[in-house]
Structures are given as C-alpha cells and as structure tokens.
Amino acid sequence: MDLQDQLKNLFPDHEPSPEDSIEEVAHELYVQKEPMICKFEKRKGKATTIIEGYEGTDADFKILAKEIKTKLSVGGTFKDDSIIIQGDYRDKIMTILKEKGFKVKRVGG
C-alpha cells in the first residue's frame, strides 16, 4: 500500500485538489541612469573589487551581489552600500553589469 491508498482509507470523502501551477516572476532590478563605480583596492595585501553607486533598494543590490558572486564563483560580501568581491574581476564584472543594462565606470589602475 502506498501513501495515496492509505490516505484514501483514512479519508474516503476527500477529493485531492489539482496541483496549482505556481508561476515564478523574475525580479526586475532597478536600472539607474548614473554609472556604478567599479574600483580595485588592496585590503590586507589581498586584491578586492568594490562596486558602489547603486541607487535602488538594498534588497536589489544584495540580489545583484549574489548573482555576480555565483557567476564568477568567488567570495564576497555586501557592506555599507557596496559589494566587495575577492580578487580583481573588474573586467568580468563590468561585462556582467553591462549585459544587465547598467552603466559602469572603471576607477583605479
């Protein structure tokens, strides 16, 4: 006896409802007119890439940080209205942001 048969024995009058299809709507990020700043810094001797200047909500910026980190397969964090990525990935980050429709300005080196 499988689970469905056991449930029918326990609740003979119950009619299973058809599965409702849940549509996931892709979250749209706010695309600003001002360029975001993508700069290179060394912190404690390690190379880091910092992205600043996003004017949307913090939740959107966190989603953008997660997308960048997963696409590049690197570590990073979201602090003080900036995304900090481990390593020098300015060129790759700039292409990812340009594909999404953002304007990006490269600062430093």
Side-chain angles (χ1 to χ4, degrees):
M1 249 188 175
D2 67 338
L3 182 63
Q4 295 296 329
D5 293 334
Q6 291 177 4
L7 288 173
K8 285 181 186 177
N9 289 339
L10 289 173
F11 305 104
D13 296 335
H14 178 69
E15 291 292 321
S17 62
E19 294 295 325
D20 295 330
S21 61
I22 299 173
E23 296 179 19
E24 288 192 24
V25 178
H27 185 71
E28 290 290 322
L29 293 174
Y30 170 73
V31 179
Q32 62 195 27
K33 295 183 180 183
E34 295 295 317
M36 294 174 64
I37 297 171
C38 185
K39 63 183 177 179
F40 172 77
E41 275 187 16
K42 281 201 166 193
R43 293 187 176 187
K44 298 182 183 176
K46 310 264 179 162
T48 58
T49 304
I50 300 172
I51 304 162
E52 296 176 332
Y54 186 68
E55 297 172 354
T57 62
D58 282 349
D60 286 349
F61 207 32
K62 286 181 183 179
I63 291 170
L64 185 63
K66 184 169 180 132
E67 286 179 19
I68 290 171
K69 290 190 299 185
T70 52
K71 283 187 179 180
L72 295 176
S73 301
V74 296
T77 186
F78 172 80
K79 279 186 187 173
D80 303 325
D81 296 330
S82 64
I83 301 171
I84 302 168
I85 303 291
Q86 296 174 355
D88 186 10
Y89 293 99
R90 285 178 290 180
D91 296 329
K92 293 179 182 179
I93 290 172
M94 288 175 68
T95 56
I96 291 170
L97 291 175
K98 285 179 183 176
E99 288 172 0
K100 292 193 168 288
F102 290 101
K103 295 178 184 171
V104 185
K105 192 181 273 189
R106 182 182 174 131
V107 176

